[in-house]
Amino acid sequence: MPRAVTFLRLRPAASVSAIGAATRRKEGTTTLEVDGPTTDEVAGAHEGGLLVASRDPGTGDAWVLSAASAVDILDSPPAAWRLTITDEGADEAVLDALARTRARFLRVGRSHVAGAKDLAGLPGLGRPRVSVFVDSVDDALAAVDAGAEDLLLRDWDTERLGGLREALPRRLVERTAFD
């Protein structure tokens, strides 16, 4: 039986404040992705009810790192369940980062889902989920058909989410910033 498709209500942000986080939370967002948030920004996001996915492994609740960045921090690696590797660089580098970090998610562009599915399915990687941003129900269905198991949703209201749930042949489960 195939695994459920997970989704995360994620919104990229340049900075974070408690008021901005509270506003985004009311809109349905659960996680903000920020390049290098300060400790105060992370605290503000938490106060506003959101988690922070950071591109800086020193801050945030979860981390979104390139393969090279993930390998660079192996002396003090973050917990695998808090880590997403982005599909940037050669397949060998991405494969190395996945194998060495055991990251739970591999984020790719929509045109790379099928290749990422093959890569993530290799033995010894812990079965990371292929994760992709989608903008519509049709995009989501195409991504899942190609092998995505995790959908990143920006600004999806309850109606669109319900439409996706009805259209998917598999169970759809919301997740947090980490697995």
Side-chain angles (χ1 to χ4, degrees):
M1 183 162 138
R3 293 195 287 185
V5 174
T6 58
F7 71 94
L8 174 64
R9 297 183 206 207
L10 177 73
R11 186 171 181 90
S15 62
V16 182
S17 70
I19 294 171
T23 300
R24 294 290 179 220
R25 182 71 184 138
K26 287 179 185 173
E27 295 169 350
T29 299
T30 60
T31 304
L32 292 175
E33 185 172 321
V34 185
D35 278 345
T38 66
T39 303
D40 288 343
E41 286 179 310
V42 173
H46 292 169
E47 185 179 326
L50 298 181
L51 294 172
V52 175
S54 173
R55 291 197 173 257
D56 174 2
T59 60
D61 303 298
W63 301 282
V64 180
L65 302 176
S66 68
S69 295
V71 171
D72 283 346
I73 62 163
L74 282 174
D75 288 339
S76 58
W81 51 270
R82 297 172 74 177
L83 186 58
T84 295
I85 301 293
T86 58
D87 184 24
E88 299 172 27
D91 283 351
E92 294 82 8
V94 174
L95 178 60
D96 183 48
L98 288 171
R100 293 171 74 186
T101 65
R102 309 281 289 178
R104 294 294 196 266
F105 300 97
L106 171 59
R107 183 185 297 177
V108 300
R110 279 182 262 177
S111 63
H112 294 103
V113 170
K117 175 190 172 215
D118 293 340
L119 188 69
L122 292 172
L125 300 182
R127 293 195 60 208
R129 290 179 174 273
V130 175
S131 184
V132 63
F133 277 101
V134 294
D135 299 316
S136 68
V137 171
D138 289 340
D139 289 346
L141 292 174
V144 170
D145 284 346
E149 292 184 310
D150 183 60
L151 305 174
L152 303 174
L153 311 179
R154 290 177 277 224
D155 300 326
W156 280 53
D157 60 23
T158 305
E159 287 179 36
R160 284 177 65 197
L161 196 52
L164 176 59
R165 209 171 242 120
E166 288 174 9
L168 272 176
R170 291 164 49 191
R171 193 168 46 114
L172 184 65
V173 177
E174 187 165 12
R175 71 172 177 93
T176 63
F178 37 81
D179 187 32

